[in-house]
Amino acid sequence: MERQTLASSSSSTSGISIISPPPEDAWITTYQKLRPQGQSLSSSNQTVIPIEVSRVNQFDAARLDIEMSAMLKEQLVKIFSLMKPGMLFQYEPELDAFLEFLIWRFSIWFDKPTPGNALMNLRYRDEHAVEARGKVRTGLEGPGLTIFQKICYCISTVGGQYIWARLQLFSAFRRWGDTEQRSLARRAWFLMQCIEGFYKAASFGNLLIFFLTGRYRSLIERVLRAGLVYGSPNMNRAVSFEYMNRQLVWNEFSEMLLLLLPLLNSSSVKKILRPFSKDNSSNLEGDEALCPICEATPTTPFVALPCHHRYCYYCLRTRCSANMSFRCSRCSEPVVAMQRHWGSAGNIVTQKE
C-alpha cells in the first residue's frame, strides 16, 4: 500500500508544470508599454483652474508704483534745492526717465516684482509660454518675462514716455500750434494731436476690456502679453483695505478742495457775510481804507475806475495785467483803468497799458 501511494504521489507531482522566474528587465519593458496610456489618462483628467487676479490689486499696484516714483523724485529734488531755482525744471523729463529706469533695472530685469506689485503680491508672467505649455494646475505657474519682453517694456515705458514728454515741451516752446507758424510745424502739431487722441482712445478701449476680463491693465502689457498673477498662493495683501480706503477718501477730499478753493472769492464771501457781522458799522470805514487784495494799508494808493475803490498799486496792477477782464473785489464792477488816489488830476493808467 505504501509503495502504491508513493507511486501515485510521484506521478501526480510529475504532472505539475514548474513556472520559471521573470527576467530582470521585465518591469522596465512593462513600464515602457504602460507609460503612454498613463500619460494620456492623466492629461485628459488634468483641467486648468482659472484664477482671476483682483482688478483692485492691479490698479493699486500701478498707483503704488507711481507714488514710489514720486517719493524718489521728491527726495532727489531736495538734493538740488540749494542750486539755482528753475534749473532742474528743464531737465524734468530726464529725471523722470532716470527714476523709471532705476525701478525697471532693479525689479523687472531681475525677474522681481516692482514695489507696487510686491506689496500687492503680484508678478509678471509670460502668457505665451503658459498657453504653449497648456498644463496649469493652480493658475499661478509660468515663467517670467523673456529678455526680449523686458527690453521692449523698458523701451516703451521709459524711452517712449521720455521722448513724448520732451517732444511736447519742444513743440510748446516752439509754438507749433500757432496759426502763424509755417505749414510743416502745423502738420507736425496736428500729427501729434492725432497720435495722442488715438492712444487715449485705445487706452480707454483697453480699460473696458480689462474691466470685463481682468487681464492686461495697460496697452503695453497687452501687446507684450505680460500678465499679472499672484506671486504666492498663500500670501495676503501687504496693504490692508482699511488703509487703502482711508487714503482714497483723503485723496478725493483733497482733490475736491483743490477744485473748489479757486472758485471761491474771499471778497465775495466777506461781502455775503458782512450783513451778519456785529461790528459792521464800525469796521466799514476801516475796510474801505484797506486794500481788498492784500488787506493792508496801501503804501502807494491807486483807485480802480470807474468804481473808485482803493487798492495798492502793485496789487491792482498785477491783477489787471494777469486778467484783462478783472473785476473789482468789492463791487464786482469791471476795472477799465486805474488812477492815483490823491486827486482827479493824477495820471490815469488804462488796463491795456
Side-chain angles (χ1 to χ4, degrees):
M1 292 292 294
E2 293 179 357
R3 292 179 181 178
Q4 292 179 356
T5 54
L6 291 173
S8 61
S9 61
S10 62
S11 61
S12 61
T13 54
S14 62
I16 298 174
S17 60
I18 299 174
I19 300 174
S20 60
E24 296 181 356
D25 58 346
W27 67 274
I28 299 177
T29 56
T30 305
Y31 171 74
Q32 293 178 353
K33 291 180 181 179
L34 298 178
R35 182 180 179 182
Q37 300 178 2
Q39 290 181 350
S40 62
L41 183 62
S42 60
S43 61
S44 62
N45 293 332
Q46 186 178 17
T47 58
V48 177
I49 302 175
I51 294 182
E52 293 186 0
V53 181
S54 175
R55 297 167 178 81
V56 177
N57 285 13
Q58 298 184 52
F59 273 122
D60 289 346
R63 183 64 181 176
L64 289 172
D65 287 335
I66 296 175
E67 294 294 336
M68 179 64 67
S69 179
M71 291 174 59
L72 293 176
K73 182 179 179 180
E74 181 181 1
Q75 297 299 322
L76 191 58
V77 168
K78 288 182 179 179
I79 300 176
F80 301 93
S81 60
L82 300 179
M83 301 183 68
K84 183 179 179 181
M87 187 194 69
L88 199 61
F89 176 76
Q90 57 183 346
Y91 300 107
E92 187 174 1
E94 287 78 7
L95 180 61
D96 294 337
F98 174 71
L99 294 177
E100 292 294 335
F101 177 78
L102 285 182
I103 295 176
W104 171 85
R105 180 65 176 82
F106 294 101
S107 60
I108 297 178
W109 179 252
F110 291 114
D111 289 328
K112 295 180 180 180
T114 60
N117 291 341
L119 290 174
M120 294 295 107
N121 185 27
L122 299 175
R123 70 175 182 89
Y124 278 114
R125 182 179 68 180
D126 184 11
E127 298 295 335
H128 292 286
V130 174
E131 293 182 357
R133 186 174 58 180
K135 295 180 181 180
V136 181
R137 291 299 299 167
T138 64
L140 304 180
E141 292 91 347
L145 301 181
T146 61
I147 297 179
F148 177 75
Q149 288 176 322
K150 296 174 184 177
I151 296 176
C152 290
Y153 186 89
C154 178
I155 294 174
S156 57
T157 55
V158 180
Q161 292 180 5
Y162 166 71
I163 293 174
W164 185 255
R166 179 53 67 183
L167 187 61
Q168 283 185 331
L169 291 176
F170 182 78
S171 61
F173 178 75
R174 296 291 182 177
R175 296 182 179 180
W176 287 359
D178 293 347
T179 56
E180 299 178 357
Q181 293 290 335
R182 55 184 181 273
S183 59
L184 183 60
R186 289 287 299 172
R187 290 178 182 177
W189 177 261
F190 179 74
L191 180 62
M192 288 178 57
Q193 296 298 319
C194 292
I195 294 174
E196 185 177 5
F198 177 76
Y199 178 77
K200 290 182 178 180
S203 299
F204 180 72
N206 180 79
L207 180 63
L208 296 179
I209 299 175
F210 173 77
F211 286 151
L212 182 63
T213 61
R215 300 177 63 187
Y216 308 121
R217 62 187 176 184
S218 64
L219 284 174
I220 299 173
E221 294 177 357
R222 186 172 296 277
V223 172
L224 297 178
R225 302 297 298 275
L228 284 173
V229 294
Y230 291 115
S232 175
N234 300 322
M235 182 177 177
N236 297 325
R237 291 166 53 102
V239 181
S240 63
F241 282 103
E242 183 180 359
Y243 173 77
M244 297 299 297
N245 289 334
R246 290 200 301 267
Q247 288 293 111
L248 181 62
V249 171
W250 174 249
N251 288 337
E252 294 298 330
F253 182 70
S254 60
E255 290 180 2
M256 183 186 67
L257 290 180
L258 292 176
L259 178 64
L260 294 180
L261 286 179
L263 302 178
L264 297 177
N265 190 354
S266 59
S267 60
S268 61
V269 173
K270 290 180 180 180
K271 187 177 180 180
I272 294 174
L273 299 178
R274 185 173 297 170
F276 304 97
S277 178
K278 295 181 180 180
D279 53 351
N280 184 22
S281 60
S282 61
N283 293 334
L284 182 59
E285 296 181 356
D287 292 343
E288 291 293 337
L290 299 178
C291 174
I293 297 178
C294 64
E295 297 182 354
T297 303
T299 55
T300 308
F302 266 69
V303 293
L305 298 180
C307 61
H308 291 278
H309 284 122
R310 191 182 306 177
Y311 287 85
C312 294
Y313 169 75
Y314 295 103
C315 295
L316 185 59
R317 185 62 177 173
T318 52
R319 292 300 176 92
C320 292
S321 300
N323 186 8
M324 299 300 295
S325 59
F326 173 69
R327 294 178 177 270
C328 179
S329 301
R330 296 190 184 277
C331 61
S332 299
E333 188 173 353
V335 178
V336 297
M338 50 191 295
Q339 184 182 9
R340 192 81 178 196
H341 174 61
W342 56 58
S344 59
N347 296 330
I348 298 177
V349 181
T350 61
Q351 187 175 354
K352 292 183 180 179
E353 295 177 355

